[in-house]
């Protein structure tokens, strides 16, 4: 299932499964637009496989999404939980990038398609925002059930050897109809048990008299009713036979291109399969309504939610410059190719997603004219509908139901150039929102590559940053290997476009590589074909670097594109300047943390310890996690802690707490005294932070241990035979909250060969998942390792620590840092019991 036309044709069952699920999801959520995203063969990328209710060109910017982007589809897939957005306000608050790209009044629902531990994709429905919220309602349960059935079907396909991935463009299908139409009605009955199909005379007429040849086959019946939409009909037939008929009529296309409305019901209530009854409704041409609109002085045409023109009166045909027979039955972008402009597509999206009429101006090119300002200007007023949208067409300046004066004024030449630009006019706000979430130079570069390059058709990107009056490459993609190395560290006096764009502050555009070579003789070129844009990165008047955009083919840059790209370069420069400040602070925090974490742990002949630390990958990348092993009297103190937050402040607070705990431990204070004293110290320091901590005082000779816990995750104990327990240690409040907090002490024993594991919550916490599940997974991992036997595959204590954090190390998106401390007794002098909790002191 690769998403190509061939794969779709060769696997009609797959198409039926996907489209049927989308139809059911639209029913369940009360929506007008639905779709299903699936994994692609590109790691980390989701692709839209099926789209219903919206023409594909209008949803093209969202047909391919990275799993790590802040979009509801990505969150539903990554976290495995439904995402419900009730209206535009909630969408803007939670997902500003989506709201910036689709600034219309609508709500939406996203449900992951999950089977066991495998997430295949996400079901999506866009719906009117006026509907009440779905949380807790049976409809959301039904949409979830639809996703579960889809996951089971996809799992069966995968088991049969069909990889469940999608790499091509989405298949666009008609959504279930909302309204009932009048006209000829044919009735049929399909009996799966007897393999028979019966129908009345009208049904025979509507299916071309093919009912006698159907032989009870649902595929043949679906093909006879609607060849183009047979997969929709087939899904409805099978679902009804299984006792789940569609809740609304289906809209399909007949052999002659006309519209059909289909209804299904189960005629029997016994065991499956049910006998299926159905109606095929032909609405007909509507002669009375058509006759009335044919006489209107204004142009009127209608199109369905797939963009197919279903009607056009003579005046509309005249104004649009095409005969009515060349309009009806064709899609908007084929019948009227001049509508393929970003500004026009925005208005059409608004009409399909929002409840209000939409008015806008278009220029229809006139045959035989030359020049950008030639052609007839029209005002289009699109009136939304559940199944069909109606559009009024009048010449520009027409006063009948005209919008405002501003809307009917003739667009300027600059505006016309923008609408006629060869590439879409990119909304700067989309990039601005995306850049606001990037905190490092690498993340800024990734955003530019992901958000900006595809919009303008670019394939190559290089970002240089200015350091001590020289330019150094910070990020590149698409260029030949080592090609850019010859420009590394060039000074500001070099005769290069990437340098001059920064020193002059002017962007440089070259429509061909020959034009670039002529302007800079002798400059090395990575290709002989293509075009380049060199943009200065200047923030608040300060030079930051330069950005190079590469295009594989020669192309022109309109005035609007040059303006937009220059503005976007300013946004990129500001983001990079913030990233440089962030990098400086992060380096300071990392240095501080490295200085504060122990470089060696205290040792004892009868105890082996191992500790490791893994920074997070979000925010400041460094936090307040720490671990330590301290000499305490004639024993050892094992300590692990976690200061709230990240950055310099968290690292500094961690250092103060580590010093305090060491001071108390050196005095061999009881664990509850260590916790109480450290708690009061943190409150007195008042850093505005709190911390969790676990302190274990171990006697290496006897294995006797006393433990106190301040809001920290429960330790684990692996017995010599591999059994691993979660130690149920009573604990007190986190440090830094209540000066009177009490910290009970638990007595336990550690036998030789057993492993005590202390860890911070970053190892077991995941967004959207219960921390208990993370602890259980860690317990299972610790139990499964082989330790202490010296045999094949056995691990050292350090090896065990590495094994426990390996899954987190492979995860690129770690919201928190991680610390692990392991300890084991090498031998003892007396018998040791299992964990023996003898009570708290």
């Amino acid at each position: 299932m690769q998403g190509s036309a061939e794969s779709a044709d060769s696997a009609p069952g797959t198409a039926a499964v996907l489209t049927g699920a989308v139809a059911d999801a639209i029913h369940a959520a009360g929506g007008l637009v639905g779709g299903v995203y699936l994994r692609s063969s590109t790691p980390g990328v989701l692709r839209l496989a099926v789209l219903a209710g919206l023409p594909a060109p209008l949803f093209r910017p969202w047909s391919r999404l990275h799993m790590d982007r802040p979009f509801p589809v990505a969150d539903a897939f990554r976290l495995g939980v439904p995402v419900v957005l009730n209206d535009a306000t909630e969408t803007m608050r939670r997902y500003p990038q989506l709201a910036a790209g689709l600034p219309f009044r609508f709500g939406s629902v996203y449900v992951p398609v999950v089977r066991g531990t495998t997430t295949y994709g996400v079901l999506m429905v866009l719906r009117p925002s006026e509907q009440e919220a779905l949380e807790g309602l049976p409809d959301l349960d039904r949409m979830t059930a639809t996703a579960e059935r889809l996951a089971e079907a996809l799992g069966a396909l995968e088991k049969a050897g069909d990889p469940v991935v999608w790499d091509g463009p989405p298949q666009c299908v008609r959504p279930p109809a909302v309204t009932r139409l009048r006209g000829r009605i044919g009735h049929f009955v399909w009996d799966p048990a007897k393999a028979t199909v019966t129908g009345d005379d009208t049904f025979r007429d509507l299916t071309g008299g093919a009912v006698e040849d159907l032989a009870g086959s649902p595929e043949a019946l679906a093909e006879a009713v609607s060849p183009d939409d047979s997969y929709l009909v087939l899904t409805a037939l099978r679902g009804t036979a299984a006792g789940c008929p569609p809740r609304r009529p289906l809209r399909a296309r007949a052999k002659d291109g006309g519209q059909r409305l289909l209804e299904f019901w189960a005629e029997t209530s016994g065991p499956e399969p049910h006998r299926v009854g159905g109606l095929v409704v032909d609405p007909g041409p509507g002669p009375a309504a058509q006759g009335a609109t044919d006489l209107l002085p204004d142009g009127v045409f209608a199109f369905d939610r797939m963009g197919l023109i279903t009607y056009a009166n003579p005046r509309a045909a005249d104004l649009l410059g095409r005969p009515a027979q060349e309009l009806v039955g064709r899609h908007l972008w084929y019948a009227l190719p001049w509508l393929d402009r970003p500004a026009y597509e925005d208005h059409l999206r608004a009409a399909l997603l929002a409840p209000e009429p939409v008015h806008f101006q278009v220029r229809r090119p006139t045959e035989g004219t030359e020049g950008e300002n030639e052609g007839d200007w029209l005002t289009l007023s699109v009136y939304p509908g559940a199944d069909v949208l109606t559009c009024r067409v009048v010449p520009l300046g027409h006063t009948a139901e005209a919008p405002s004066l501003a809307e009917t004024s003739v667009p300027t030449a600059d505006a016309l150039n923008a609408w006629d630009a060869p590439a879409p006019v990119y909304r700067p706000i989309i990039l601005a929102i995306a850049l606001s979430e990037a905190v490092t130079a690498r993340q800024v570069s990734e955003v530019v590559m992901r958000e900006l390059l595809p919009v303008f058709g670019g394939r190559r990107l290089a970002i240089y940053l200015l350091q001590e009056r020289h330019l150094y490459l910070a990020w590149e993609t698409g260029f030949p290997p080592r090609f850019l190395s010859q420009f590394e560290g060039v000074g500001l006096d070099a005769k290069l476009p990437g340098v001059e764009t920064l020193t002059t502050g002017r962007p440089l555009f070259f429509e061909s590589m020959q034009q670039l070579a002529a302007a800079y003789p002798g400059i090395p070129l990575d290709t002989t074909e293509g075009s380049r844009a060199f943009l200065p990165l200047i923030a608040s008047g300060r030079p930051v670097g330069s950005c190079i955009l590469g295009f594989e083919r020669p192309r022109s840059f309109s005035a609007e594109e040059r303006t937009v790209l220059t503005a976007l370069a300013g946004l990129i420069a500001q983001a990079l300047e913030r990233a440089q400040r962030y990098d400086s602070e992060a380096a300071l925090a990392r240095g501080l943390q490295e200085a504060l974490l122990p470089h060696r742990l205290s040792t004892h002949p009868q105890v082996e310890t191992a500790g490791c630390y893994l920074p997070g990958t979000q925010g400041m990348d460094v936090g307040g996690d720490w671990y330590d092993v301290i000499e305490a009297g004639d024993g050892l103190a094992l300590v692990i802690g976690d200061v709230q937050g990240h950055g310099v402040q968290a690292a500094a607070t961690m250092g103060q707490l580590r010093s305090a705990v060491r001071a108390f431990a050196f005095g061999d204070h009881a664990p509850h005294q260590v916790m109480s004293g450290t708690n009061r110290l943190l409150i007195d320091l008042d850093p505005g932070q709190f911390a969790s901590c676990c302190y274990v005082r171990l006697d290496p000779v006897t294995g006797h241990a006393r433990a106190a816990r301040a809001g920290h995750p429960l330790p684990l104990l692996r017995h010599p035979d591999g059994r691993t327990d979660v130690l149920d240690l009573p604990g007190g409040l986190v440090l830094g909250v209540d000066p009177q907090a009490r910290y009970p002490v638990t007595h336990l024993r550690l036998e030789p060969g057993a492993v005590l594991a202390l860890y911070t919550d970053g190892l077991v916490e995941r967004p959207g998942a219960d921390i208990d599940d993370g602890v259980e997974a860690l317990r299972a991992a610790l139990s499964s390792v082989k330790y202490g036997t010296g045999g094949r595959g056995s691990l050292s204590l350090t090896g065990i620590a590495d094994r426990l954090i390996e899954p987190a190390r492979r995860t690129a998106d770690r919201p928190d840092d991680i610390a692990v401390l392991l300890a084991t007794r090498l031998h003892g002098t007396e018998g040791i019991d299992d964990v023996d909790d003898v009570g708290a002191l």
Side-chain angles (χ1 to χ4, degrees):
M1 181 168 44
Q2 301 297 320
S4 64
E6 291 78 12
S7 64
D9 292 340
S10 63
T14 297
V17 166
L18 295 175
T19 55
V22 170
D24 285 348
I26 290 176
H27 282 319
L32 298 176
V33 178
V36 58
Y37 284 84
L38 292 180
R39 302 171 302 179
S40 71
S41 58
T42 303
V45 172
L46 298 173
R47 282 189 175 272
L48 184 64
V50 172
L51 177 67
L54 200 66
L58 298 186
F59 211 72
R60 186 169 46 229
W62 300 274
S63 63
R64 182 178 183 273
L65 290 175
H66 284 262
M67 295 177 190
D68 59 350
R69 294 185 67 183
F71 275 76
V73 169
D75 279 358
F77 183 92
R78 194 174 60 254
L79 303 178
V81 296
V83 176
V84 180
L85 304 174
N86 294 316
D87 50 36
T89 301
E90 186 173 4
T91 303
M92 175 59 78
R93 177 177 59 82
R94 296 176 57 185
Y95 298 97
Q97 286 196 51
L98 176 63
L102 294 170
F104 316 118
R105 289 174 53 195
F106 70 93
S108 51
V109 185
Y110 310 84
V111 177
V113 180
V114 182
R115 182 174 182 263
T117 60
T118 302
T119 302
Y120 293 108
V122 176
L123 272 175
M124 167 198 72
V125 174
L126 309 182
R127 62 195 182 95
S129 60
E130 288 80 7
Q131 293 184 0
E132 62 183 330
L134 291 184
E135 287 97 343
L137 296 181
D139 281 348
L140 182 57
D141 293 338
R142 185 184 172 199
M143 189 169 172
T144 302
T146 299
E148 291 173 351
R149 289 196 299 271
L150 176 58
E152 290 296 324
L154 295 178
L157 289 171
E158 189 173 47
K159 187 176 181 180
D162 188 3
V164 182
V165 296
W166 195 272
D167 290 319
Q171 290 190 14
C172 290
V173 299
R174 288 175 180 80
V178 175
T179 58
R180 291 178 176 268
L181 303 178
R182 297 181 179 275
R184 293 188 299 162
I185 302 177
H187 175 262
F188 72 89
V189 176
W190 169 48
D191 191 334
K194 297 180 179 180
T196 60
V197 176
T198 58
D200 58 18
D201 292 340
T202 304
F203 177 77
R204 292 186 176 89
D205 292 341
L206 294 177
T207 56
V211 66
E212 289 84 1
D213 303 326
L214 297 182
S217 163
E219 292 82 3
L221 176 58
E223 181 73 17
V225 171
S226 177
D228 290 343
D229 297 322
S230 59
Y231 46 83
L232 279 178
V233 180
L234 182 61
T235 299
L237 286 169
R238 289 174 172 169
T240 306
C244 299
R247 295 177 61 188
R248 295 180 181 175
L250 297 180
R251 181 180 293 278
R253 192 175 183 182
K255 289 183 179 180
D256 60 4
Q259 298 290 314
R260 294 289 185 267
L261 199 67
L262 312 174
E263 293 192 35
F264 303 89
W265 61 88
E267 291 198 338
T268 56
S269 57
E272 296 182 6
H274 301 283
R275 193 170 63 185
V276 178
L279 296 178
V280 180
V281 182
D282 174 20
Q290 180 173 326
T293 52
D294 282 352
L295 299 176
L296 288 175
D298 295 340
V300 175
F301 71 93
F303 57 94
D304 66 13
R305 301 194 67 83
M306 298 295 294
L308 187 75
I309 299 176
T310 59
Y311 167 75
N313 71 355
R315 179 57 173 159
D318 180 57
L319 290 172
L320 296 175
R322 299 289 298 272
Q325 60 268 25
E326 294 183 12
L327 294 173
V328 177
R330 303 187 69 188
H331 286 86
L332 278 172
W333 288 271
Y334 292 105
L336 308 171
W338 38 269
L339 282 179
D340 186 15
R341 296 288 184 270
Y344 304 162
E345 290 180 350
D346 270 349
H347 294 299
L348 292 172
R349 266 192 293 266
L352 285 158
L353 294 176
E356 303 88 356
V358 175
H359 311 280
F360 61 103
Q361 284 73 47
V362 300
R363 181 178 66 82
R364 177 181 67 82
T366 304
E367 205 172 309
T369 60
E370 297 180 359
E372 290 182 334
N373 287 310
E374 300 297 332
D376 298 329
W377 282 94
L378 306 171
T379 296
L380 269 58
S381 300
V382 185
Y383 298 87
D387 298 315
V388 177
L389 292 82
T390 304
C391 183
R392 179 189 294 265
V393 187
V394 297
L396 188 66
H398 192 281
T399 56
E401 200 171 331
S404 64
L405 180 62
E407 291 174 327
T408 56
S409 59
V410 178
T412 64
D414 287 342
L416 180 61
N417 290 338
W419 289 344
D420 284 343
V425 178
Y426 187 77
R427 286 193 184 93
I429 189 174
I430 298 177
L431 183 65
I433 294 173
L435 287 174
S436 69
E437 300 174 354
V439 294
T440 67
R442 179 182 180 87
Q443 289 172 345
V444 171
S445 303
E446 288 175 339
V447 167
V448 175
M449 180 185 69
R450 189 179 64 216
E451 299 286 349
L452 188 59
L453 276 187
V455 175
F456 287 89
R459 294 293 181 88
R460 304 182 182 188
L461 168 71
I463 292 180
Y464 284 85
L465 295 180
L466 182 65
Q467 298 177 20
E468 298 179 353
R469 297 187 58 79
H470 290 75
L471 288 173
Y472 295 92
L473 184 65
W475 177 273
E476 67 89 14
T477 183
F479 287 93
R482 295 179 297 280
F483 171 76
L484 296 175
S485 60
Q486 57 193 317
F487 304 106
E488 184 72 2
V490 297
L492 295 185
D493 56 349
K495 178 67 175 177
L496 293 170
V499 174
E500 292 194 358
T501 190
L502 179 61
T503 56
T504 64
R506 292 184 295 103
L508 301 174
F509 298 93
F510 300 95
E511 298 181 355
S512 68
M513 301 305 288
Q514 291 73 25
Q515 191 181 88
L516 173 61
Y520 294 88
I523 185 174
L525 300 177
D526 57 304
T527 180
T528 57
E529 295 293 329
S531 53
R532 294 289 183 269
F534 296 84
L535 308 175
L537 301 180
I538 300 175
S540 305
R542 293 187 297 275
V544 176
S546 58
C547 176
I548 305 172
L549 302 180
F551 306 87
E552 292 187 347
R553 296 180 177 85
R555 56 158 293 170
S556 60
F557 297 90
S558 68
E560 177 71 7
E561 283 185 298
R562 295 176 184 231
T563 300
V564 169
L565 283 170
T566 303
L568 295 175
L571 294 176
I572 297 168
Q574 292 174 5
L576 285 170
E577 187 182 45
R578 291 195 307 269
Q580 288 177 318
R581 290 198 301 266
Y582 163 85
D583 288 339
S584 298
E585 184 178 352
L588 174 62
R590 281 192 294 270
L592 178 60
Q593 186 178 51
E594 288 173 3
L596 294 174
L597 282 173
H599 294 281
R600 74 172 181 85
L601 301 176
S602 297
T603 61
H604 190 281
Q606 293 174 272
V607 176
E608 180 185 356
T609 60
C612 58
Y613 171 81
L614 188 65
T617 58
Q618 297 180 2
M620 285 299 299
D621 289 351
V622 293
D625 288 20
W626 91 94
Y627 60 87
D628 210 347
V629 178
I630 311 163
E631 294 181 8
D634 56 358
L636 291 178
L638 311 173
V639 188
I640 195 163
D642 183 1
V643 177
Q644 169 216 12
H646 296 80
V648 174
Q649 181 62 53
T653 302
M654 177 268 284
Q656 292 171 314
L657 292 183
R658 177 172 177 255
S659 298
V661 172
R662 289 183 69 87
F664 287 118
F666 283 141
D668 202 15
H669 291 275
H672 70 283
Q673 294 173 328
V674 175
M675 290 289 95
S676 298
T678 307
N679 176 50
R680 287 191 294 269
L681 174 65
L682 183 58
I683 293 174
D684 290 342
L685 291 173
D686 192 23
Q689 294 173 303
F690 56 85
S692 67
C693 185
C694 185
Y695 182 94
V696 180
R697 167 57 165 84
L698 173 65
D699 184 337
V701 176
T702 65
H704 178 257
R706 293 175 293 162
R709 191 171 62 90
H712 202 79
L714 295 170
L716 303 179
L717 181 65
R718 183 187 189 277
H719 301 282
D721 61 2
R723 291 180 301 107
T724 303
D725 298 324
V726 179
L727 299 182
D728 186 14
L729 304 184
L733 288 174
V734 292
L735 306 175
V737 175
D738 180 8
Q740 305 302 322
R742 297 176 60 84
Y743 300 96
V745 174
T746 300
H747 293 248
L748 46 98
R749 294 186 183 277
L750 184 66
E751 59 183 317
V755 177
L756 179 66
L758 308 179
Y759 55 92
T760 56
D761 56 8
L763 187 61
V764 293
E765 274 191 332
R766 292 293 179 270
D770 194 308
I771 191 174
D772 290 340
D773 295 336
V775 173
E776 174 57 27
L778 180 63
R779 187 202 64 77
L782 181 57
S783 179
S784 66
V785 297
K786 190 176 182 181
Y787 167 68
T789 64
R792 184 178 180 183
S794 62
L795 297 175
S796 65
L797 204 63
T798 301
I800 293 177
D802 289 338
R803 177 71 60 85
L804 294 181
I805 68 170
E806 181 60 26
R809 195 190 302 275
R810 294 196 304 264
T811 302
D813 186 17
R814 293 191 301 273
D816 200 0
D817 45 349
I818 295 168
V820 174
L821 177 62
L822 306 180
T824 184
R825 287 180 65 221
L826 301 179
H827 57 81
T829 59
E830 60 182 59
I832 306 297
D833 297 328
D834 237 346
V835 176
D836 180 21
D837 184 354
V838 297
L841 297 180

